[in-house]
Amino acid sequence: MVDPIPASHQPRARSNLTRGWPFLPAGVVLLVLFLLPMTVMVAFSLWRTNSDLDVVPDWTLDNYIYFFSEGTYVRTFLKTLIMAAAVTAAGIATALPFAYFLVRYVGQRWQRIVLLAVIVPFWTSYLLRAYAWQAILGEKGALNQFLMGIGLIDEPSRLFVYNDLSVWLVLLYVYFPFAALALYTALEKFDFNQLNAAQDLGARPDQAFRRILLPQIRPGVITACIFVFVPILGEFLTPTLVGGAQGALIANLIINFFRGLQYTTMAAFSFVIAGFVIVVLVIFRRYLRVEDVVARG
Amino acid sequence: MSVPAIELVDATKRYGTSMALDRVSLRIERGEFFCLLGPSGCGKTTTLNLIGGFIPLTSGELRIEGQRVNDMPPHKRNVNTVFQNYALFPHMTVEENVAFGLRMARLGSGETATRVDEYLALVGLEAFHDRLPAQLSGGQQQRVALARALARRPAVLLLDEPLGALDLKLRKQMQVELARIHRQVGTTFVFVTHDQEEALSMATRIAVMSAGRVVQSGTPRDIYYHPVDRFVADFIGESNFLEGVAVRDGARSYVRLGGGSTVDAPADAPPGSVTLMVRPESVSVGPAPATNGEASLSGRVIHVAFIGNHTRVTVRTPAGDIVALRPHSEGSASSALDELLDQEVCAWWSPRDSTIVAHGSTEKIDERLV
Ligand SMILES: Nc1ncnc2c1ncn2[C@@H]1O[C@H](COP(=O)(O)OP(=O)(O)OP(=O)(O)O)[C@@H](O)[C@H]1O
Ligand SMILES: [Mg+2]
């Protein structure tokens, strides 16, 4: 009656000595491209820029203190976090139904075509796409033309661009594909018959969604969140092009220090963000538990 | 008469222009082990999905325990399903899978735990509470699916080819298990299969389906020995078909076959052009009929095949080839059948074991299947 289970544990064959070697190339890459620059940055953030704009290796926390003592910086940083969260939320809220519909109701052939259409914008430059949005939302832009055309407004509105909303919208446009692809990959592995099974067992559709679908695509949702949230913390191009004075994010301020050759301040500000990203990743990691990986297999 | 567990009245399901189900009427009594049997694409899964509530009816009516449920969503219906691919929740343990339906029904945690234990014991998986579905064999997953559906104590359990994915040996074992579980819990089972042997051995009643319609429903014996048409006869086991004209001569009725021979017909044979059917195991072969009153044809043995527990003898007669399936008697008897090859013999059967089936309907059904 008890059927045999295939053995899942293979005995460890490799010795401790040889085990590390395969990771050597990756280690070198990590060291050169990541650890080294980071070390320089950490050092800079704890040094001082003198009045001749030279970096002087005097150890100090002044750069960090400066960040937290200036209301504008803290406010802009908080605003950046809120913006990143708002775009992430909107990205998941749009990409999830999109990917769900695509996987569940669209045939294989069309799925591939739609996915391609989602990826195609990546082949054009980011700058070009952001400019395109400026052209759409601007005073003489397509949106105004259209609204005046159908008679909804009499004169061009300036409300569509150079504010937080336009930054949010364009960021959503830019990061939607990342969220969509991450969620598509997760949903593709899901057996939708399970939703019928859940309802058969007395679950309402929303309960089936929450208790059966969501836990199984959680790794995909988290991946999507990271792919959207983290890069937005470093976004400066979109705010520059469609954000105007109101829409600046923290990276815009950092760029300003860079242009003003204030490298030590810049390094410290960057590290505030980097520190935050690390905290976010650690928190997300806790939700990527072993069961999720098993459930996906 | 008591209220039936399931009642379908002219149930129709249309996809665009194609009829997945065409005016199906069924009445499934409480406590039955009811089999839906038919070839691929005949509408078995569609029927189950209608009862489960996963697809809406195009027209007609569906009643569960006397209550019309056409518009009731699946989570409110008092039926549970064992899905063809089991559809276990891979992120939950065996215990959590079985408990899921009970939690949805807001059973207390104590009662839930008791029930989980009870139904895992019923299917012989007491020791597997904490396994994940991926850590179970196919047969064990099947049992979890069964326990999960039964734990809610539904009025009706729907099973869609639950044994289809199992190898032959495990399949036979699970057939016995399922029959035991059905006896033990007493719930109405509606069981889908395209395996006629499975249906015959397990069901209290069978509905044979073809191209979205129920062609015949009845007890296994009924359907096996008195199929309404060639399709049913062909689908359920092997048959001999003899075309001829039925003639009634006083109390006796007989069928005049091709080649000029005549055989006695079953008593209820309607006069006119008919197809006579007789099962191979009802046919005897030998020098002459052992008793009077048998329907008998003479011919030459053209093929003898040893097929393990039986020997299959094919006799060519002027009315067509007749296949007889004979059990081996003790010792030399089997070789006696071997020696029949190329001999002139008689093939005979009792007229009671033959039946008249509807004429030519096999062709019609083939057309509909295309
Ligand atoms: N969603 C659908 N859209 C269109 N046609 C469908 C759909 N679902 C089923 N059909 C058609 O309805 C008919 C009955 O299908 P059904 O799944 O009930 O067959 P089945 O008897 O369960 O077959 P099988 O033994 O292969 O599982 C088939 O011809 C099928 O092509
Ligand atoms: Mg089916």
Side-chain angles (χ1 to χ4, degrees):
Chain A
M1 172 147 320
V2 176
D3 310 286
I5 310 288
S8 57
H9 295 288
Q10 303 280 329
R12 275 228 170 274
R14 287 189 186 144
S15 76
N16 280 341
L17 202 74
T18 53
R19 220 171 30 196
W21 288 112
F23 297 108
L24 190 66
V28 169
V29 168
L30 207 65
L31 186 75
V32 173
L33 293 182
F34 186 72
L35 276 180
L36 226 54
M38 283 300 242
T39 315
V40 173
M41 288 264 288
V42 173
F44 268 42
S45 76
L46 295 169
W47 290 347
R48 203 162 55 75
T49 308
N50 66 14
S51 49
D52 295 334
L53 299 179
D54 293 323
V55 174
V56 187
D58 292 343
W59 299 96
T60 170
L61 279 173
D62 281 356
N63 297 316
Y64 290 95
I65 294 168
Y66 178 53
F67 178 93
F68 287 104
S69 61
E70 280 289 325
T72 346
Y73 300 145
V74 175
R75 269 200 305 278
T76 309
F77 182 56
L78 288 180
K79 187 183 138 186
T80 306
L81 294 185
I82 292 168
M83 178 63 79
V87 176
T88 304
I92 300 289
T94 49
L96 189 55
F98 170 82
Y100 183 94
F101 184 82
L102 195 64
V103 172
R104 189 158 192 194
Y105 300 109
V106 178
Q108 283 288 324
R109 214 176 87 87
W110 279 102
Q111 274 189 26
R112 247 171 270 140
I113 294 172
V114 172
L115 281 180
L116 198 68
V118 168
I119 300 167
V120 156
F122 288 121
W123 296 348
T124 62
S125 106
Y126 185 146
L127 203 62
L128 217 63
R129 283 182 285 149
Y131 268 125
W133 274 100
Q134 214 179 24
I136 293 170
L137 300 173
E139 214 177 320
K140 294 175 185 153
L143 185 60
N144 270 315
Q145 304 274 341
F146 171 74
L147 290 177
M148 286 192 297
I150 62 168
L152 216 66
I153 54 176
D154 297 328
E155 52 192 72
S157 167
R158 296 179 188 183
L159 295 176
F160 303 140
V161 75
Y162 302 132
N163 55 35
D164 289 337
L165 201 63
S166 59
V167 172
W168 175 81
L169 185 70
V170 176
L171 286 177
L172 177 58
Y173 158 81
V174 171
Y175 287 97
F176 173 84
F178 294 99
L181 288 180
L183 292 174
Y184 174 85
T185 312
L187 280 166
E188 208 189 18
K189 298 184 190 111
F190 183 74
D191 167 21
F192 285 93
N193 212 16
Q194 285 180 47
L195 293 185
N196 279 346
Q199 289 182 59
D200 186 76
L201 292 165
R204 291 187 313 267
D206 63 293
Q207 289 173 316
F209 180 83
R210 266 188 299 118
R211 306 186 66 146
I212 304 302
L213 180 83
L214 221 45
Q216 291 183 59
I217 63 163
R218 193 165 56 186
V221 174
I222 290 168
T223 308
C225 285
I226 293 173
F227 279 5
V228 177
F229 189 88
V230 173
I232 288 179
L233 297 182
E235 264 290 341
F236 64 93
L237 210 56
T238 294
T240 308
L241 291 175
V242 300
Q246 191 203 62
L249 296 181
I250 191 71
N252 296 84
L253 301 185
I254 294 174
I255 289 281
N256 285 344
F257 288 117
F258 180 74
R259 295 202 179 113
L261 303 181
Q262 301 281 341
Y263 293 150
T264 52
T265 323
M266 180 199 78
F269 279 34
S270 301
F271 255 96
V272 174
I273 300 180
F276 191 81
V277 167
I278 289 167
V279 170
V280 167
L281 289 182
V282 167
I283 291 174
F284 277 151
R285 245 187 88 104
R286 290 193 36 173
Y287 288 101
L288 279 168
R289 286 178 319 204
V290 183
E291 303 99 272
D292 299 328
V293 182
V294 173
R296 296 176 91 184
Chain B
M1 235 189 206
S2 72
V3 178
I6 299 280
E7 209 174 358
L8 285 166
V9 184
D10 285 334
T12 298
K13 178 67 198 175
R14 198 169 30 228
Y15 288 111
T17 54
S18 82
M19 286 285 206
L21 275 193
D22 187 6
R23 280 166 291 139
V24 165
S25 294
L26 277 178
R27 197 188 147 96
I28 301 172
E29 303 298 337
R30 285 188 182 167
E32 275 202 274
F33 197 125
F34 194 92
C35 264
L36 294 171
L37 176 66
S40 187
C42 69
K44 306 181 296 289
T45 297
T46 305
T47 308
L48 277 205
N49 282 342
L50 283 175
I51 300 174
F54 306 119
I55 54 175
L57 279 152
T58 305
S59 66
E61 191 164 310
L62 165 64
R63 281 181 228 128
I64 297 174
E65 302 216 293
Q67 189 194 0
R68 182 191 146 102
V69 296
N70 284 35
D71 306 312
M72 188 186 275
H75 65 274
K76 292 197 176 137
R77 298 193 183 191
N78 193 13
V79 300
N80 283 111
T81 308
V82 175
F83 291 86
Q84 186 158 8
N85 67 351
Y86 314 143
L88 296 178
F89 306 132
H91 60 304
M92 296 183 181
T93 62
V94 166
E95 180 177 353
E96 288 166 340
N97 264 279
V98 178
F100 182 82
L102 305 175
R103 298 229 166 90
M104 290 298 113
R106 299 187 173 285
L107 239 62
S109 60
E111 172 69 5
T112 298
T114 319
R115 283 249 201 130
V116 169
D117 291 345
E118 178 188 341
Y119 283 89
L120 281 179
L122 180 74
V123 298
L125 286 181
E126 303 87 332
F128 290 77
H129 280 67
D130 297 324
R131 292 271 188 95
L132 287 170
Q135 300 168 320
L136 298 176
S137 72
Q140 291 165 343
Q141 290 180 19
Q142 153 81 75
R143 288 160 196 272
V144 176
L146 200 58
R148 185 177 72 171
L150 281 171
R152 279 172 63 90
R153 300 193 177 145
V156 179
L157 185 74
L158 308 173
L159 304 105
D160 191 356
E161 305 208 25
L163 311 182
L166 306 180
D167 63 52
L168 190 66
K169 190 157 163 278
L170 198 53
R171 205 180 161 110
K172 297 277 177 224
Q173 197 182 325
M174 278 308 291
Q175 286 176 3
V176 176
E177 279 284 275
L178 265 182
R180 168 186 69 81
I181 289 168
H182 176 250
R183 271 197 312 276
Q184 213 162 323
V185 298
T187 304
T188 312
F189 279 31
V190 181
F191 185 97
V192 161
T193 179
H194 59 241
D195 179 340
Q196 45 102 6
E197 201 182 311
E198 195 165 281
L200 289 174
S201 66
M202 304 181 76
T204 52
R205 277 196 309 144
I206 298 173
V208 183
M209 298 184 66
S210 164
R213 311 207 58 160
V214 170
V215 186
Q216 182 175 9
S217 62
T219 63
R221 261 165 211 292
D222 250 7
I223 288 189
Y224 188 78
Y225 286 109
H226 303 288
V228 292
D229 63 15
R230 273 187 87 139
F231 169 78
V232 176
D234 252 349
F235 194 75
I236 304 205
E238 193 180 11
S239 331
N240 295 297
F241 296 111
L242 297 166
E243 307 283 344
V245 178
V247 178
R248 185 156 288 166
D249 177 12
R252 176 173 173 255
S253 71
Y254 58 90
V255 178
R256 191 176 299 129
L257 300 169
S261 44
T262 60
V263 291
D264 282 343
D268 58 351
S273 173
V274 293
T275 300
L276 190 71
M277 187 218 77
V278 60
R279 295 287 182 190
E281 63 273 19
S282 303
V283 179
S284 304
V285 175
T291 53
N292 283 337
E294 305 282 66
S296 164
L297 287 172
S298 50
R300 197 164 53 83
V301 176
I302 57 165
H303 190 68
V304 178
F306 174 72
I307 52 166
N309 48 359
H310 283 76
T311 299
R312 203 168 169 278
V313 183
T314 310
V315 183
R316 178 150 292 169
T317 76
D321 288 355
I322 303 275
V323 174
L325 207 56
R326 302 309 307 165
H328 315 302
S329 20
E330 295 295 318
S332 62
S334 56
S335 57
L337 285 170
D338 284 340
E339 286 155 14
L340 286 175
L341 189 61
D342 286 331
Q343 302 287 307
E344 294 294 329
V345 294
C346 271
W348 73 88
W349 60 89
S350 160
R352 275 180 295 115
D353 292 338
S354 64
T355 195
I356 303 290
V357 297
H359 207 62
S361 52
T362 308
E363 286 78 31
K364 243 194 290 170
I365 279 152
D366 285 343
E367 261 167 42
R368 269 189 277 158
L369 278 175
V370 173

